[in-house]
Structures are given as C-alpha cells and as structure tokens.
Amino acid sequence: MTRARPVGSAASERGRAGRSARRPESAITVHGPGTGVPGASRLPGDLRRLAAEAARLHGGPVQIDVQLLSDPQIRRLNRTHLGHDWATDVVSFPLSAPDAPLLLGALAVSRDTARRESTRRGHAPYHELMLYVVHGTLHLLGHDDHAPRATARMRRAERELLAALGLPSVYERPESGRRARRPRKEVP
C-alpha cells in the first residue's frame, strides 16, 4: 500500500480547474474491465458513500479515479513510479496539493491481490477490494502508515470508513478464532 508523488504539471492544471465559481461534486469513479470480484454489484453505491465521507473528512469536495488492475499491471506501475518491483494492493497518486479546496487523486487497485488476500484472510473478496479503495483514499487525505502510531491511526480510520459503508473490518478475527495476519509484499 503505497503513495506515489504528484505526476507532473497535471496536478497544477487540475488544481486551477478546481477553483471555479461552481463547487464541484464529490465522486469516486472506477475504470477498468469489471472487478472480477463477487459482490461488486454494490460498488457504485459504496463509492458514492465513500466520496461523501472523504469530502466530510477533507472539508471539501473530492474527485478520485480508481483503476482496477491485474497483478502484472500494478507491478509495472509500482516499479515505474515507486521503484518497487513487486505487485502491491494499492498505489495512491495525489493530483492536488494536500490543502487544495478540491482533493484530486487516482488509485491503482489490484483485483488479483484482493481475491488472493481475501482467501488467505478468510473473508469476502469484495471486502478486501473496498479495504484497498478506503486505504488509498486515506493516503490521499494525508494518512500515512510507515510508523507504528501512524499505522494504528490509519487502521482506526479504515475501520470507521468501512463501518460507515456497512462493511466489516477485515482486520478482525475470522470465524476460526485465529487472528488475521497482515499481508506480506510479494517479492519476485
């Protein structure tokens, strides 16, 4: 789960466009060839609710594009933009300054990783996919997960947003009574 740096001058152009007299609406949109994840029929409604929650947390409108990718695709993206040569679950691309009135960003999410990790952790693939979208959105809102305290704050925020969407926390104990393990990064 990684956050990339803003991409070139596109961020400044979009930032200027966000300062128009008319206040833009909040939205999170998905691009890509379907989710390939069972239960994703509720995705449009969950993304509308997540956009509203993100706007509340940001204090202004948010516009986030989500691209659903395969593991090979996200691995290439991770290598190109972050220098990490492995597949990951989500990469966040902030496209506006953190203090901009309109939060613009893009997320690359691996549907393959969501399916694999949900099986390993013992919950629905859709819940794992939404965890990645929530996690990436929190990165765009300024959360970080590189230090233990920051990780704990981010996990709390993830649980709160998932609950606001009516989804369970994927970090809770599975029905087997064993604690779900934290996913490991894949190294080729």
Side-chain angles (χ1 to χ4, degrees):
M1 298 179 218
T2 329
R3 183 175 168 179
R5 299 204 189 310
V7 183
S9 64
S12 60
E13 288 302 314
R14 286 189 175 104
R16 280 195 287 279
R19 292 185 189 98
S20 66
R22 190 170 156 240
R23 185 177 170 115
E25 292 188 29
S26 293
I28 299 177
T29 54
V30 175
H31 306 279
T35 64
V37 173
S41 60
R42 66 178 283 176
L43 188 62
D46 284 343
L47 293 180
R48 275 192 302 279
R49 285 188 292 282
L50 179 58
E53 287 295 317
R56 180 184 61 77
L57 293 171
H58 175 63
V62 300
Q63 293 183 357
I64 302 170
D65 287 327
V66 178
Q67 183 74 42
L68 300 176
L69 303 174
S70 67
D71 275 351
Q73 291 170 317
I74 204 164
R75 179 179 181 175
R76 274 192 304 277
L77 191 80
N78 203 18
R79 182 178 53 237
T80 300
H81 292 280
L82 297 167
H84 303 153
D85 193 14
W86 58 78
T88 188
D89 44 13
V90 60
V91 180
S92 302
F93 295 93
L95 301 175
S96 62
D99 58 348
L102 171 63
L103 175 72
L104 292 170
L107 304 176
V109 177
S110 173
R111 61 183 176 270
D112 294 345
T113 299
R115 284 191 298 261
R116 185 177 55 257
E117 286 300 312
S118 67
T119 299
R120 190 178 68 76
R121 292 203 233 189
H123 57 258
Y126 181 73
H127 297 163
E128 188 78 14
L129 183 77
M130 283 306 297
L131 168 66
Y132 300 166
V133 175
V134 164
H135 185 89
T137 298
L138 287 170
H139 273 305
L140 295 175
L141 289 167
H143 283 259
D144 195 2
D145 58 354
H146 295 291
R149 280 191 171 156
T151 298
R153 278 192 298 277
M154 193 163 193
R155 293 293 180 264
R156 262 192 312 279
E158 287 169 349
R159 283 190 298 272
E160 289 168 6
L161 283 176
L162 288 169
L165 300 175
L167 297 170
S169 168
V170 298
Y171 298 114
E172 302 303 318
R173 293 180 181 266
E175 289 181 24
S176 69
R178 292 178 34 220
R179 185 167 177 83
R181 292 183 301 166
R182 187 171 185 189
R184 290 182 293 175
K185 299 221 186 255
E186 289 185 21
V187 180

